[in-house]
Amino acid sequence: MYKRILVATDGSKLSQQAVEHGINLADLTGAEVVALKVIPRYPQTYFEGGVALAAAEVARIEKQWQEEALVAVNAVKSAGQLREVKVKPVTVKSDLVAEAIIAAAKRNKCDLIVMASHGRRGIKRLLLGSETQQVLTHSHIPVLVLR
């Protein structure tokens, strides 16, 4: 049924549900898993009078984010090993999370994307956006959303 499943994770408790479902589904179908964590770029100041950090400090923060991302995807790999599911850990740096997820799924020839949704509604959804909604709207690959 599925040959390669992309599991998007941010390392949160909620995304852990997506990880568990993705690994279980891969185990049942004999698929491989691509564990993806999208790392944002450090934001520049957009407002006059905003304080910009030194380049060394920005580099330190981005390195920390990269290390945290590696911990998240390697945790998926470890969970896969317990079930004898092959997991490829992948990190991508992008400010456009949904686009990065879709691009990674295409690049890795995935036939399913598994991700969690925070289920925000109303003004929170409007202000915070929904990466899951963007993936659902723009992906040509089937998407399994867990809440």
Side-chain angles (χ1 to χ4, degrees):
M1 179 175 212
Y2 298 114
K3 293 183 177 130
R4 194 164 293 124
I5 300 169
L6 183 135
V7 177
T9 183
D10 60 8
S12 70
K13 191 179 250 187
L14 182 61
S15 72
Q16 185 58 33
Q17 289 180 322
V19 168
E20 291 169 11
H21 274 75
I23 289 172
N24 287 339
L25 189 56
D27 187 31
L28 290 171
T29 62
E32 296 176 2
V33 170
V34 174
L36 175 70
K37 169 73 169 101
V38 180
I39 307 163
R41 298 184 199 289
Y42 190 83
Q44 303 299 315
T45 58
Y46 296 107
F47 302 105
E48 188 175 323
V51 178
L53 293 177
E57 184 64 11
V58 170
R60 184 192 66 75
I61 292 168
E62 288 185 336
K63 182 179 180 215
Q64 179 182 342
W65 288 348
Q66 175 68 33
E67 290 168 357
E68 290 169 358
L70 288 172
V71 168
V73 294
N74 284 328
V76 178
K77 184 175 181 176
S78 295
Q81 287 173 334
L82 295 174
R83 299 287 297 271
E84 297 182 4
V85 171
K86 182 179 177 184
V87 177
K88 176 183 176 183
V90 176
T91 61
V92 176
K93 188 182 271 191
S94 177
D95 291 327
L96 305 171
V97 175
E99 286 181 20
I101 291 170
I102 294 167
K106 286 180 186 175
R107 188 171 43 256
N108 289 282
K109 297 181 172 88
C110 296
D111 37 25
L112 178 68
I113 298 171
V114 178
M115 59 191 305
S117 173
H118 290 278
R120 293 185 185 104
R121 302 229 187 275
I123 193 73
K124 283 186 181 179
R125 180 173 172 187
L126 183 65
L127 293 174
L128 298 174
S130 171
E131 299 302 337
T132 305
Q133 184 63 41
Q134 290 296 316
V135 172
L136 282 168
T137 302
H138 299 289
S139 177
H140 296 292
I141 298 167
V143 181
L144 173 63
V145 179
L146 299 153
R147 289 182 58 188

